[in-house]
Amino acid sequence: MVKETEPSGQALSQLRVLEIGSSAATSYCARLFADFGADVSKVEPPAADPLRSSAPLTPGGQSAWFAFLNFNKSSIIIDPADPEAIERLTRLVEDCDILVDGRDIDCAECPSIDVAPIRQRHSGLIYLEAAWFSREGPYREFAASDSVVRALAGLVKLVGPIEGPPLHAPDFQTGILAGLWGFIAVASSLIARLGSRVGRSHSLSIYEACISLSEYQLFETIERGEAMHRMGVNRFWPNFPAGIYETKKGWLGVTTITPKQWHAFCEMLDLPQLRDDPALVLGADRLKHTEQIERLFVPKLKSRTARQWFAEAIQRKIPIVPVPELSDLLEDQEKIERGAIVPLLIGGERALTPGSMQRLTLTPPRRGGKVPAIGGLQVFTKERIDSRRRRSSLPSGGTRPAEQPLKGVRVIDFSMGWAGPFCTRTLGDLGADVIKIEAIQYPDWWRGVDRRENYVHGQRYEKTLRFCIMNRNKRGITLDLTRPEGLSVAKRLIAHADIVVDNYSVDVLPKLGLGYEVLRMLNPRLVVMSMSAFGTNSVHRGCRAYGSTLEHGSGLPSVVGTSSGPPVMSHVAFGDAIGGLNGCAAILVALIHARETGQGQFIDLAQVECMMPFTAPWIIVHSLSGASERYGNRHPQFVPHGCFRCAGEDNWIMLAVTDANMWQRLATLIGRAEWAADSSLRSEKRRRLIEDKIENEIERWTRGRDADHAMAELQGARVAAGVVRPPVDLLQDPHLRSRAFFQEVERAFIGPHLQPSIPIREGARPAPIRRAAPTLGEHNREILADLLGLEELEIADLASKGIIGSKMLSERELRQGW
């Protein structure tokens, strides 16, 4: 158990943030600053931010989506028609630390200002501008929506029934995903500004942010040489079972990846014929026999409740979790106590909402808050007033910023798989020195879980693309932490580090002698983050979990799909990338505080909670009305909206009509001029009455067209539409190619290969990839000799004892105790 220190205030209370334009991504980015005490002001026109009318609405008619994105902010009204509007907005920008700009998404009648000359006068200003795609490239003028961008990014094609249409989640995902990326960009710049006093300017592509989720399936396709396709609801390549199943009472999320987990699952269900079949050892093999396997285990699952299976699975260390309804989340006392569910005041309505998931224990985030009325200011405490005085004393001017914002920051990375390595990869991409610790006995399982002789001795664990993608910009060392010599080396590394990250089960590092109390004594400035599934003190702390398990347990599947269907997964491992980004954001907040005060702290990140913001509008509405609605591929606000079949086999286009003018252009394009001329159909509510007929007409038009041609025609008419692409097609995407998004990297064992860039840029080119992923133990000598000063004899002794090494041990060698 981690002993929590006494909270010491809010980590970002010295900052003033200004938000302009209208964008879910920039709104969420700015709200994350408000969570940690920053003074955040949102500029709105007299007619209000368009997001205030976004469905779903509360019983009182307020936008639940806007409420989630904007609580704890103040609202400032600026009328563009006012002769002094530009001067007033300029003064606000000059008086802030951070400007978050969503005008490329929706200008929202924001006065036109040029930020460049303001930055010349205000050298400390940190500037973030977001766009659906970017200001350069073939898609720069595309009309877009959340679902259109996700379709193009490969996040829709593989979900849903085999026969189609692809089944996509509701329109509240890109704002959370890109908002996290925007926050990471700005927070890393704050760390750099502490040394240089100079602000930075970042551009954020929401489209490229989405590829954080699809890159895994893209590179798995390349490595395995298998074409990916939809496999049915709650089925995903390359593992099985990794889906949602009905029980005697409730739904159960099941994931088995390792041979040991599959063996335990079959034991639990008393299915020895599956357990002992050598053709079913690996998930990819089981995927070839899904129907036969499910015929045996699905009836077994219906013999007990989801809660009963969950309790037994914890004992057997199987990644299984009940799939909650929204009411379950709202009544979950553990989530309420942790701040995952917090109170929210929306006008006169008192609701509940997901809170901040970056659970810093010394400088915790706010627990809930108030949504500002138009032009409404928040009532701040004396602490906020004092922090403004502190800001006024910050020095101005300074030197040119360092090449990368996190240069000089050192990270000790104990994580494996996707979530933790993605967190530390992002820190490395931003310039941190990341030292990845593995062991020859138990290396990162993304190198492969196959411990058979031919796999290990052929060093096939060095040839997995997923490992190489997730561990670039890191140095690698092997240490057997179960032995005193290995533990001693790890402690020496930690003593001179800034950050420690692990995503093991909560008891692993403490049992090794590396619990937070020990680490804090070694290094009081240290930021330590545990990325467990449910949190260090959770009653479910022993639950094993993958990214799929996190989505299962988050409540998101209960709002995806149709009202008559099962809860639906959106991704093979949604929770991994989201946990990694939330972890990175949390670390940067804690590091800012540590750099300013000398105080390190513990971060208790529960990855399942990190998924809950994706359900936020429904949680808010459900907390007020006791009900919520699932829309399938339709939309609570946009009509028409959905996936439409194009010419050829399994070709689709995503289309979203986001306003009345777009509707008229669409109706004209598909040959229904009478609809375009009918003024009553400018109303979304009137179009809803004939939605079936409209969808049939659209599909009549799209069926005769290639998907890319249909997109070109629709975008030519300024209608939001995008091809529903499989992830592997991103490699040929003309926009990404024009942006040099995929970079070629050379690495031992696999040679040249492509790597995705991060979606935040400080110039026209992406941040360069400085080094390929380490081979096992590649930097042992470099780190031990050059960094820690060990002599050659000491290093040789560690190698002879198996404390360090560069070759993975097979199952046989492990049993022999080599």
Side-chain angles (χ1 to χ4, degrees):
M1 294 285 184
V2 173
K3 182 180 179 181
E4 296 185 7
T5 52
E6 190 69 26
S8 69
Q10 295 174 305
L12 305 181
S13 59
Q14 75 277 18
L15 297 173
R16 191 170 294 173
V17 181
L18 187 69
E19 176 193 338
I20 60 177
S22 177
S23 155
T26 50
S27 285
Y28 190 57
C29 170
R31 206 217 78 194
L32 291 172
F33 282 97
D35 286 347
F36 287 94
D39 181 352
V40 180
S41 295
K42 181 183 189 69
V43 174
E44 301 187 72
D49 183 338
L51 287 174
R52 285 188 183 268
S53 62
S54 296
L57 304 178
T58 69
Q62 302 291 315
S63 168
W65 184 221
F66 179 89
F68 174 73
L69 295 172
N70 292 286
F71 64 85
N72 287 328
K73 300 179 186 177
S74 293
S75 170
I76 298 175
I77 297 176
I78 297 184
D79 187 346
D82 185 337
E84 297 182 355
I86 293 178
E87 180 182 351
R88 186 180 173 205
L89 181 57
T90 300
R91 287 199 304 269
L92 288 171
V93 174
E94 291 176 337
D95 193 42
C96 72
D97 298 281
I98 299 162
L99 176 62
V100 181
D101 188 349
R103 289 178 297 169
D104 269 3
I105 307 297
D106 190 333
C107 184
E109 301 181 60
C110 185
S112 178
I113 60 166
D114 185 356
V115 177
I118 299 176
R119 293 190 68 239
Q120 289 181 344
R121 299 191 301 271
H122 182 5
S123 62
L125 179 67
I126 295 171
Y127 178 49
L128 175 75
E129 60 174 347
W132 280 120
F133 298 99
S134 65
R135 290 194 173 186
E136 308 85 24
Y139 299 167
R140 63 185 180 276
E141 300 294 336
F142 270 21
S145 72
D146 184 296
S147 57
V148 166
V149 169
R150 283 187 286 127
L152 281 166
L155 296 177
V156 172
K157 183 70 175 280
L158 302 179
V159 184
I162 294 172
E163 66 277 8
L167 182 60
H168 56 88
D171 247 12
F172 306 102
Q173 296 199 355
T174 67
I176 304 299
L177 186 58
L180 283 163
W181 272 114
F183 182 83
I184 287 166
V186 175
S188 66
S189 293
L190 284 166
I191 292 166
R193 194 179 74 167
L194 292 172
S196 70
R197 305 179 188 173
V198 176
R200 292 170 178 258
S201 176
H202 299 274
S203 62
L204 168 68
S205 166
I206 295 173
Y207 175 47
E208 291 170 14
C210 290
I211 297 172
S212 306
L213 285 170
S214 51
E215 65 180 37
Y216 167 76
Q217 291 164 305
L218 189 169
F219 289 103
E220 283 288 275
T221 302
I222 294 172
E223 181 172 359
R224 299 183 187 229
E226 298 180 38
M228 299 182 72
H229 56 274
R230 270 189 324 285
M231 307 192 70
V233 174
N234 294 323
R235 286 184 185 168
F236 293 89
W237 182 93
N239 292 306
F240 177 84
I244 296 174
Y245 298 94
E246 191 173 8
T247 70
K248 185 177 182 180
K249 181 181 180 182
W251 296 89
L252 192 69
V254 175
T255 304
T256 63
I257 293 182
T258 68
K260 185 179 292 186
Q261 289 163 356
W262 171 246
H263 187 279
F265 180 67
C266 295
E267 285 277 319
M268 183 176 75
L269 296 179
D270 191 24
L271 291 170
Q273 66 271 45
L274 295 181
R275 178 198 64 199
D276 300 333
D277 189 336
L280 303 179
V281 173
L282 299 177
D285 298 328
R286 296 192 290 273
L287 203 55
K288 301 171 186 175
H289 308 284
T290 55
E291 300 294 341
Q292 302 96 305
I293 294 172
E294 283 187 345
R295 274 200 295 270
L296 291 173
F297 79 72
V298 167
K300 295 268 189 177
L301 289 176
K302 292 181 180 179
S303 67
R304 302 173 70 181
T305 69
R307 287 284 168 190
Q308 289 170 331
W309 287 124
F310 180 44
E312 185 166 347
I314 288 177
Q315 298 301 315
R316 295 176 180 267
K317 300 181 179 181
I318 312 170
I320 287 179
V321 66
V323 178
E325 300 287 343
L326 296 185
S327 56
D328 298 325
L329 295 176
L330 290 167
E331 295 167 5
D332 189 326
Q333 287 303 306
E334 182 173 283
K335 288 184 171 54
I336 293 169
E337 290 169 7
R338 286 180 54 86
I341 296 290
V342 295
L344 180 66
L345 183 63
I346 317 173
E349 297 176 294
R350 296 185 179 276
L352 294 173
T353 182
S356 173
M357 304 310 165
Q358 296 82 34
R359 192 168 183 267
L360 280 63
T361 54
L362 183 64
T363 57
R366 293 175 175 275
R367 290 194 171 222
K370 176 184 177 183
V371 181
I374 301 173
L377 302 178
Q378 298 285 350
V379 178
F380 298 114
T381 63
K382 182 177 182 296
E383 176 189 4
R384 174 62 60 81
I385 297 169
D386 290 343
S387 70
R388 287 183 179 176
R389 292 197 190 104
R390 179 183 172 194
R391 178 191 173 275
S392 67
S393 66
L394 290 175
S396 60
T399 59
R400 185 178 180 85
E403 183 180 351
Q404 291 178 296
L406 297 186
K407 189 174 183 179
V409 173
R410 180 163 293 152
V411 182
I412 307 302
D413 180 8
F414 289 104
S415 67
M416 295 187 179
W418 188 353
F422 185 44
C423 168
T424 52
R425 183 190 89 176
T426 303
L427 296 170
D429 287 347
L430 293 168
D433 176 21
V434 180
I435 298 176
K436 182 178 181 69
I437 296 181
E438 301 178 79
I440 59 173
Q441 296 82 1
Y442 298 102
D444 188 323
W445 66 271
W446 257 24
R447 291 185 184 271
V449 297
D450 193 337
R451 304 303 291 260
R452 290 174 290 189
E453 298 284 331
N454 62 340
Y455 185 91
V456 173
H457 293 159
Q459 290 186 276
R460 288 168 60 186
Y461 56 85
E462 294 290 10
K463 303 173 185 179
T464 54
L465 267 179
R466 60 185 178 186
F467 176 87
C468 295
I469 299 298
M470 211 51 60
N471 290 283
R472 68 185 185 215
N473 287 334
K474 302 177 185 181
R475 295 191 285 170
I477 183 172
T478 51
L479 290 173
D480 184 350
L481 299 175
T482 66
R483 297 163 73 183
E485 299 95 328
L487 191 62
S488 175
V489 173
K491 287 181 177 179
R492 290 181 62 182
L493 287 171
I494 290 166
H496 299 287
D498 299 283
I499 298 161
V500 168
V501 176
D502 91 87
N503 66 341
Y504 302 145
S505 298
V506 297
D507 294 325
V508 172
L509 283 188
K511 285 181 177 178
L512 290 170
L514 293 173
Y516 178 62
E517 294 304 317
V518 174
L519 301 187
R520 184 169 64 171
M521 294 298 292
L522 288 171
N523 184 348
R525 298 173 60 92
L526 193 66
V527 172
V528 178
M529 183 171 70
S530 168
M531 298 178 63
S532 62
F534 289 88
T536 57
N537 297 323
S538 171
V539 295
H540 306 312
R541 63 202 304 269
C543 178
R544 295 294 191 272
Y546 294 106
S548 51
T549 320
L550 304 173
E551 183 179 4
H552 294 157
S554 70
L556 178 59
S558 68
V559 303
V560 182
T562 62
S563 57
S564 59
V568 176
M569 294 171 63
S570 300
H571 189 275
V572 63
F574 203 151
D576 280 305
I578 300 306
L581 287 174
N582 276 275
C584 186
I587 282 171
L588 294 175
V589 174
L591 187 58
I592 291 168
H593 178 76
R595 288 289 171 91
E596 291 189 325
T597 66
Q599 293 178 304
Q601 63 180 297
F602 181 74
I603 302 170
D604 179 14
L605 192 86
Q607 290 190 62
V608 72
E609 295 171 359
C610 294
M611 288 294 298
M612 290 171 58
F614 292 97
T615 68
W618 288 269
I619 288 178
I620 292 170
V621 171
H622 197 96
S623 74
L624 292 167
S625 67
S628 58
E629 184 176 350
R630 290 201 279 176
Y631 303 100
N633 279 0
R634 289 180 172 176
H635 194 278
Q637 186 175 358
F638 304 148
V639 180
H641 182 279
C643 282
F644 298 91
R645 191 182 296 272
C646 294
E649 184 179 351
D650 198 33
N651 293 323
W652 306 82
I653 191 161
M654 178 73 75
L655 184 150
V657 169
T658 60
D659 60 48
N661 293 331
M662 189 181 290
W663 157 250
Q664 290 181 308
R665 296 193 296 271
L666 172 65
T668 300
L669 179 66
I670 66 174
R672 296 304 300 260
E674 73 279 13
W675 282 353
D678 187 342
S679 60
S680 71
L681 291 179
R682 290 181 60 85
S683 163
E684 163 266 316
K685 292 181 180 178
R686 290 297 297 270
R687 295 197 299 275
R688 184 82 68 189
L689 297 175
I690 59 167
E691 192 164 14
D692 288 340
K693 188 174 183 180
I694 292 172
E695 290 174 348
N696 288 336
E697 282 296 297
I698 293 171
E699 188 145 313
R700 178 191 60 78
W701 184 87
T702 60
R703 271 184 176 273
R705 287 166 169 79
D706 171 82
D708 283 284
H709 292 160
M711 179 174 72
E713 288 188 66
L714 288 161
Q715 287 289 350
R718 296 292 295 156
V719 175
V723 177
V724 182
R725 300 196 191 282
V728 73
D729 281 8
L730 293 170
L731 292 176
Q732 304 305 321
D733 181 274
H735 186 82
L736 297 175
R737 289 169 72 92
S738 75
R739 298 255 297 159
F741 179 77
F742 292 104
Q743 303 181 47
E744 187 170 272
V745 176
E746 179 80 27
R747 182 183 181 274
F749 292 96
I750 61 173
H753 63 285
L754 295 177
Q755 293 255 0
S757 301
I758 57 175
I760 46 181
R761 300 190 181 192
E762 290 194 66
R765 305 289 296 180
I769 296 170
R770 306 187 307 283
R771 67 168 80 226
T775 57
L776 191 63
E778 179 181 351
H779 301 101
N780 283 347
R781 188 168 300 277
E782 175 182 315
I783 292 169
L784 295 173
D786 298 347
L787 187 60
L788 298 183
L790 270 66
E791 300 292 339
E792 286 296 323
L793 286 175
E794 294 176 285
I795 296 173
D797 183 57
L798 291 173
S800 67
K801 294 177 178 176
I803 306 297
I804 64 171
S806 59
K807 300 286 181 66
M808 176 179 171
L809 299 186
S810 68
E811 192 69 45
R812 179 182 60 81
E813 290 168 327
L814 281 174
R815 286 197 303 268
Q816 292 174 348
W818 189 93

